[in-house]
Amino acid sequence: MTEIGEPKKPARSQRVRTPRAERRRQIIEAAATLFSHKGFRGTTTREIAGAVGVSEAMLFKHFATKEELYAAIIEAKSHGRRVLDAAVEAAEREDDAEVLRTLAREMIERTRADPTLMRLTFFSALEGHALSEMMFRSRVQQLDDFLSRYIAKRIAAGAFRSVDPLQATWNFFGMVAYHVQLRELFGQKPPRRLTTERAVEEMVALFLHGVRRA
């Protein structure tokens, strides 16, 4: 019992429990950062748990295996579908320049906002683990399929020369990917005059000059 005038003892602090969805998000973000810098094999569950500030036992309550966690990262961060959605309207109008412009701009801006997925893509390919196929399908193949079908359609309409649609797709995305890699992977800063918009316009113009019928 506290005597009159005696200061009260502070109440025992109650631990605030982090909501499950928020904890899951924290684990995904921490794991994505570690995987993108150390690779799938080079990252331990202990490191992931430590980065979040939880025990490994708590980590496994959310994700039973590293593979399950990696799959959740791909689902959370892959933006192939969102990039395509932005280009669908232009494709329906057969606006060639806008289709390419939208794809390039979306790829560059989304990678710049969150470069971890690009690094994860490279690591998954280099490590050759089973999840690399999942990464390829979610990040690369959707875009390849969309643009190669569009190019094939424009060839059939007589708007483009008779080129191989898939190779032409790789050629275009190759320009975009190299631009992104220079900036986000190698830290190269382009001249001030070479803004993202100008870079995109030049990639689009070069590509269309090569595929359009004279």
Side-chain angles (χ1 to χ4, degrees), residues 85-100:
D85 288 344
V88 166
E89 184 180 345
E92 291 174 349
R93 298 196 312 269
E94 297 185 344
D95 187 338
D96 303 329
E98 188 60 23
V99 169
L100 299 169

Side-chain angles (χ1 to χ4, degrees), residues 7-199:
K8 293 183 178 180
K9 293 181 180 180
R12 183 177 295 177
S13 60
Q14 294 186 350
R15 193 172 181 178
V16 179
R17 178 175 294 180
T18 303
R20 181 176 177 82
E22 174 60 17
R23 181 66 78 199
R24 183 181 174 89
R25 186 197 66 78
Q26 290 173 353
I27 293 171
I28 287 173
E29 288 298 325
T33 299
L34 287 167
F35 285 149
S36 70
H37 285 86
K38 302 182 66 175
F40 180 78
R41 294 195 179 98
T43 302
T44 66
T45 52
R46 178 177 296 181
E47 288 176 307
I48 298 169
V52 182
V54 299
S55 65
E56 282 187 275
M58 176 61 72
L59 177 68
F60 290 132
K61 285 184 179 179
H62 291 272
F63 301 98
T65 63
K66 277 172 63 177
E67 288 79 8
E68 184 180 319
L69 174 53
Y70 198 87
I73 291 171
I74 295 173
E75 182 180 354
K77 289 186 170 290
S78 182
H79 46 66
R81 185 67 256 170
R82 282 172 285 174
V83 172
L84 292 183
D85 288 344
V88 166
E89 184 180 345
E92 291 174 349
R93 298 196 312 269
E94 297 185 344
D95 187 338
D96 303 329
E98 188 60 23
V99 169
L100 299 169
R101 187 181 296 120
T102 301
L103 290 172
R105 188 188 303 119
E106 289 289 317
M107 288 172 65
I108 291 170
E109 290 179 354
R110 291 185 185 278
T111 302
R112 185 173 298 168
D114 183 6
T116 55
L117 190 61
M118 178 188 66
R119 298 179 66 94
L120 286 170
T121 302
F122 286 127
F123 265 117
S124 71
L126 291 171
E127 290 182 324
H129 53 70
L131 291 167
S132 63
E133 179 64 21
M134 183 188 300
M135 177 66 79
F136 176 79
R137 289 197 307 270
S138 66
R139 178 165 171 78
V140 180
Q141 193 166 26
Q142 289 185 57
L143 298 176
D144 283 356
D145 290 347
F146 172 81
L147 187 55
S148 61
R149 284 197 301 267
Y150 180 78
I151 291 172
K153 177 182 175 182
R154 299 298 283 148
I155 292 170
F160 288 177
R161 295 188 299 106
S162 181
V163 298
D164 184 280
L166 184 57
Q167 182 61 57
T169 294
W170 290 347
N171 292 343
F172 179 72
F173 285 142
M175 288 192 288
V176 181
Y178 188 64
H179 175 87
V180 171
Q181 289 170 35
L182 282 177
R183 295 183 64 120
E184 306 302 329
L185 197 60
F186 297 106
Q188 297 299 304
K189 293 184 178 180
R192 192 171 295 178
R193 68 180 183 279
L194 191 58
T195 63
T196 297
E197 285 301 317
R198 181 170 178 180

